[in-house]
Amino acid sequence: MPISSKIILWFDRRFPHFGLRQILDHALIRKLRAQGAHIGQHCRIYSPLTSTEPYLITMGDWVGIAGGVKLLTHDAVARKLRAHRPLAQSFGRITIGDDCFIGENAVLLPGTTLGSHCIVAAGAIVRGTFPANSLVAGNPAKVIGRASLLLKLFDKRASTLDTFGLPEKARRAKILAHFRNEDAMHSKLTVIKHKI
């Protein structure tokens, strides 16, 4: 039975030096590799992936996969052929280049190839070949921009805070202080608008 994300988060925040999330992450990667998946170095996978053919999955180095992501290497619609082909199944490889990020609850369908440095938006349904540095979103997913431009926007965004790895108490204080300041600034702007 998989350990819930809430338990892992609670444990990691309570005992940050133990690194339960990292231990489970490495265990999942070892399991997928043992089943034939080709997974590069320094990958983080927060989802069980649910592929029944992990040997059809290849991912490069520094790939990040958020929770709820599914990599489907077969298409069950092929069962509709079974009236005249009782053993029919349809498969496709999934290839993910170096330094890609796959957002929460995205689904990668058989025959998907992502070039290096791609970002797949949360909830995207992805099939096909996407060039390097693509920002991929939608259902069906398509390229909506360049991943590098999105990263520049995130870097400049006021709500992008340097909190990774902080103890939970310090992290929470920094986040709440930021939003208190933002709320105060918003209130001042509202007052100014009403005066004009």
Side-chain angles (χ1 to χ4, degrees):
M1 179 159 127
I3 299 174
S4 105
S5 296
K6 287 182 181 179
I7 293 171
I8 293 167
L9 189 60
W10 175 85
F11 193 92
D12 273 353
R13 288 184 175 161
R14 217 44 173 185
F15 308 101
H17 300 296
F18 188 77
L20 179 62
R21 171 74 257 164
Q22 195 167 4
I23 290 169
L24 293 172
D25 195 40
H26 289 304
L28 174 61
I29 289 171
R30 276 195 308 276
K31 177 184 171 191
L32 290 167
R33 284 177 177 154
Q35 294 172 339
H38 299 280
I39 300 174
Q41 299 301 308
H42 311 291
C43 293
R44 300 303 300 260
I45 302 174
Y46 293 95
S47 178
L49 304 183
T50 68
S51 173
T52 53
E53 300 83 27
Y55 43 86
L56 294 177
I57 296 171
T58 300
M59 64 180 76
D61 298 331
W62 299 101
V63 172
I65 297 180
V69 171
K70 292 181 175 57
L71 303 185
L72 303 177
T73 53
H74 66 275
D75 194 330
V77 172
R79 73 186 302 270
K80 301 293 277 175
L81 301 173
R82 291 194 180 153
H84 68 280
R85 290 183 62 189
L87 303 177
Q89 290 186 295
S90 179
F91 302 96
R93 292 187 179 279
I94 294 177
T95 304
I96 302 170
D98 292 336
D99 198 26
C100 287
F101 176 75
I102 315 299
E104 192 86 14
N105 293 322
V107 178
L108 275 62
L109 297 171
T112 295
T113 299
L114 296 173
S116 295
H117 311 289
C118 287
I119 296 174
V120 174
I125 308 298
V126 185
R127 183 191 302 261
T129 300
F130 298 87
N133 192 29
S134 292
L135 176 57
V136 180
N139 177 8
K142 55 186 161 200
V143 176
I144 62 166
R146 293 194 312 240
S148 57
L149 293 178
L150 178 68
L151 292 176
K152 285 180 183 178
L153 289 173
F154 266 80
D155 193 31
K156 302 283 185 216
R157 186 185 273 178
S159 61
T160 301
L161 306 175
D162 297 316
T163 58
F164 185 76
L166 289 179
E168 180 53 25
K169 192 173 182 180
R171 181 176 173 273
R172 178 185 172 118
K174 191 168 186 172
I175 292 169
L176 289 175
H178 167 77
F179 284 101
R180 270 193 298 275
N181 292 339
E182 191 176 85
D183 291 344
M185 185 179 289
H186 180 70
S187 294
K188 287 178 186 175
L189 289 174
T190 303
V191 169
I192 291 168
K193 273 184 181 177
H194 289 300
K195 287 182 177 178
I196 297 175

